[in-house]
Amino acid sequence: MEQPELIELKKSLRMEMRTRIRSFCADIQNAEAASAAAVSAFLASDLYRNAETIFTFVSTDQEVNTRRLIAKAVTDGKKTAVPRIISNTNEMDFYYLVGNRIIGNQLVSGAYGILEPDECAEAVAVQKFPAKTVIVVPGLAFSKDGCRLGRGRGFYDRYIGHVKSAGKNQPAALVGLCFDCQIVETVPHDDLDINVSHIASESGLSATLPHP
């Protein structure tokens, strides 16, 4: 369980980041250009080229738009999976999209109003986690040493923890996809919070720095 001091530090930073992101996205044209540049930085990388499977989130307002990323991965023949919240639990699973179906027709409104794969989608079995998989993760803030601040529900921390505990194949990379304004000096964290290995933003894609 998180310590009260850590909870308060995260709460404060979440409030600050929501204000910062809202302000940045108020300039719609600039935000769309930054979003496209961040996705392009990832798609142009060796991480993407060498991946056989891409896990990514379906973006909402005030996030880097992942629609083109998803479409490109499907078009390139990569196995592509997006998340669904499991009803009445604090867990999340990923489900494969089908390449020969229109992507929009495979998504329905789910938990928190976020688009999720429909009931026809095939679940990814954590015990058979695919090799050469890159997971693209959302977040409110990222630090250059790879710490991530999510929205507080812990879905990605738990899911990736399950993958790592399963022990067979591990993700080739965890990529934080964000705007430059979401990259900060430090992110409060503990051992249960996952770290990303790379950050992709409008400034490019870079590996995170080792922890001091």
Side-chain angles (χ1 to χ4, degrees), residues 57-112:
F57 61 100
V58 180
S59 55
T60 61
D61 292 343
Q62 299 182 8
E63 289 182 321
V64 171
N65 191 327
T66 59
R67 271 48 169 198
R68 182 164 66 94
L69 190 165
I70 293 169
K72 175 68 171 169
V74 170
T75 299
D76 287 344
K78 296 181 187 292
K79 294 171 69 177
T80 307
V82 296
R84 181 199 297 163
I85 304 302
I86 304 170
S87 297
N88 302 318
T89 75
N90 289 319
E91 300 294 334
M92 174 181 76
D93 280 336
F94 276 81
Y95 293 76
Y96 291 115
L97 297 175
V98 179
N100 60 4
R101 290 180 61 197
I102 297 171
I103 294 171
N105 291 348
Q106 301 180 58
L107 302 175
V108 296
S109 181
Y112 308 105

Side-chain angles (χ1 to χ4, degrees), residues 8-205:
E8 287 304 313
L9 287 171
K10 287 185 175 183
K11 180 179 178 180
S12 177
L13 184 56
R14 285 189 180 102
M15 291 176 63
E16 176 186 339
M17 294 310 300
R18 288 189 177 103
T19 299
R20 184 184 298 189
I21 295 165
R22 190 182 307 116
S23 176
F24 177 77
C25 291
D27 185 337
I28 296 174
Q29 186 173 2
N30 185 51
E32 288 179 346
S35 181
V39 169
S40 293
F42 174 64
L43 293 177
S45 70
D46 287 339
L47 285 181
Y48 175 77
R49 280 191 290 269
N50 295 334
E52 294 181 357
T53 305
I54 299 291
F55 284 23
T56 185
F57 61 100
V58 180
S59 55
T60 61
D61 292 343
Q62 299 182 8
E63 289 182 321
V64 171
N65 191 327
T66 59
R67 271 48 169 198
R68 182 164 66 94
L69 190 165
I70 293 169
K72 175 68 171 169
V74 170
T75 299
D76 287 344
K78 296 181 187 292
K79 294 171 69 177
T80 307
V82 296
R84 181 199 297 163
I85 304 302
I86 304 170
S87 297
N88 302 318
T89 75
N90 289 319
E91 300 294 334
M92 174 181 76
D93 280 336
F94 276 81
Y95 293 76
Y96 291 115
L97 297 175
V98 179
N100 60 4
R101 290 180 61 197
I102 297 171
I103 294 171
N105 291 348
Q106 301 180 58
L107 302 175
V108 296
S109 181
Y112 308 105
I114 300 171
L115 291 177
E116 298 181 342
D118 63 22
E119 294 300 322
C120 298
E122 174 192 354
V124 178
V126 171
Q127 295 78 9
K128 297 180 180 179
F129 191 78
K132 297 183 179 180
T133 295
V134 171
I135 303 180
V136 179
V137 300
L140 287 174
F142 298 89
S143 61
K144 291 183 178 180
D145 61 357
C147 295
R148 167 186 174 269
L149 180 74
R151 297 184 180 274
R153 302 183 185 102
F155 292 117
Y156 280 85
D157 296 312
R158 284 189 294 275
Y159 181 81
I160 293 169
H162 294 331
V163 171
K164 291 184 176 182
S165 297
K168 186 178 180 183
N169 292 320
Q170 298 296 307
L174 299 175
V175 180
L177 184 64
C178 65
F179 299 115
D180 282 347
C181 68
Q182 295 174 256
I183 302 173
V184 299
E185 282 297 316
T186 59
V187 170
H189 66 284
D190 63 17
D191 292 341
L192 296 178
D193 296 316
I194 63 161
N195 289 350
V196 297
S197 60
H198 297 76
I199 297 173
S201 70
E202 63 263 39
S203 291
L205 181 140

